[in-house]
Amino acid sequence: MIDLQSLSTLLAEPGADGAALDSAYLTIGQRSDRWNANRGAVESEIELGAPLQLPGVRDARTRVAERESAQLDSAFDAEKWRLAGEVREAFWQTRIADNEKALAARKVTDAIALAADVKRRFDAGDVARTDWNQAEAVVRSAQAAEADAQGRHFRAMRNFLALTGLDTLPEGEEAKPTTTEIDSSHPAARELDDSVALARARVTETSATRRDPPELLVAQRHVEQRADRLRVQLQRLAELRARELEV
């Protein structure tokens, strides 16, 4: 008889030669001669097998798993670095938009003051109406520029809010970078190196698994004839008859 528990334990453990067993499969079948000679022959078979994972394949898959883990970590660090760059860009865009809005408001104030002075001089007869009209045009132009600056500031602030969750800009200046050169420890460089290493590991794995692996197969077959079944039935009938006589 096949001890399925012991065999499953065997399939889960690596072999002594370094080979390991892959996912096992179970096959159960039964055949009879009912549609042929009909002599009562019944053949039952149970088969348990598993592909052998050779040492080269196992090592290649292990390297792929290690490279995938390293590539995932470096990609996460690179994504944080890119997000920090987006936050930095949004911060400075908002700072620039804030300064432009303040400058546009100051220009509107200066234009209104200039228009008021021209109006007084026009009322005194010192300047012509065209000068007053030009001063009024400068005011309208400054007000339009201020509206544009306010729109740019609003959009920049909304972008900064979406990235950081902050509705106001932090105080202080940004720390200056200690170096402007990219070395191997830079997140973008590590992500690129790990991606190349992962691609090479996958090529090695493909080469190692190019041919079908051998299989470990354990099977048991049982053949039963009609005479055997009849003998068992007669024996049971005789036992029942003997019990009835005893009673």
Side-chain angles (χ1 to χ4, degrees):
M1 297 295 292
I2 299 177
D3 187 352
L4 295 179
Q5 183 175 2
S6 300
L7 189 56
S8 63
T9 303
L10 173 62
L11 294 176
E13 294 178 353
D17 57 352
L21 296 173
D22 214 331
S23 300
Y25 62 89
L26 178 66
T27 303
I28 300 176
Q30 188 179 67
R31 295 182 296 177
S32 69
D33 63 348
R34 178 182 302 175
W35 308 109
N36 297 318
N38 195 21
R39 296 177 180 175
V42 178
E43 179 180 309
S44 303
E45 185 176 10
I46 180 170
E47 183 178 281
L48 184 62
L52 282 172
Q53 189 180 103
L54 300 178
V57 176
R58 184 178 58 180
D59 294 342
R61 290 178 178 175
T62 300
R63 283 194 295 270
V64 169
E66 293 173 351
R67 295 303 182 185
E68 285 179 345
S69 178
Q71 197 273 337
L72 183 63
D73 292 339
S74 60
F76 180 72
D77 293 339
E79 190 62 30
K80 289 195 300 183
W81 170 73
R82 282 188 284 268
L83 179 59
E86 293 179 6
V87 172
R88 187 181 300 109
E89 180 68 18
F91 170 80
W92 285 111
Q93 289 295 332
T94 307
R95 284 283 296 269
I96 292 172
D98 188 56
N99 293 336
E100 289 178 347
K101 186 182 73 169
L103 179 61
R106 190 161 55 249
K107 286 183 178 181
V108 169
T109 302
D110 294 342
I112 292 176
L114 177 61
D117 180 66
V118 173
K119 177 65 169 56
R120 286 192 300 269
R121 294 176 63 188
F122 170 74
D123 293 339
D126 295 336
V127 296
R129 179 176 290 275
T130 55
D131 296 331
W132 182 28
N133 292 338
Q134 290 178 355
E136 290 292 331
V138 170
V139 172
R140 290 191 292 271
S141 177
Q143 289 173 341
E146 182 186 24
D148 291 340
Q150 288 176 347
R152 289 193 298 272
H153 179 267
F154 175 78
R155 290 189 295 272
M157 197 65 217
R158 286 292 299 272
N159 186 35
F160 183 78
L161 174 64
L163 287 173
T164 64
L166 302 176
D167 55 359
T168 57
L169 293 178
E171 299 293 336
E173 297 293 334
E174 181 184 7
K176 295 182 179 180
T178 57
T179 179
T180 57
E181 298 180 356
I182 297 180
D183 56 10
S184 59
S185 62
H186 193 277
R190 286 179 48 234
E191 181 185 27
L192 180 60
D193 292 342
D194 290 339
S195 297
V196 172
L198 175 59
R200 290 175 178 172
R202 284 175 174 168
V203 170
T204 303
E205 180 190 19
T206 302
S207 301
T209 57
R210 185 169 299 173
R211 62 186 180 90
D212 294 334
E215 292 187 355
L216 175 65
L217 188 64
V218 179
Q220 183 177 14
R221 181 179 301 171
H222 175 70
V223 179
E224 182 182 2
Q225 300 292 338
R226 177 182 297 174
D228 297 334
R229 295 203 306 272
L230 182 58
R231 188 183 307 111
V232 173
Q233 292 175 0
L234 290 175
Q235 184 178 0
R236 291 179 179 174
L237 183 59
E239 292 176 355
L240 292 175
R241 187 69 174 178
R243 291 177 184 175
E244 290 177 357
L245 293 176
E246 291 176 359
V247 174

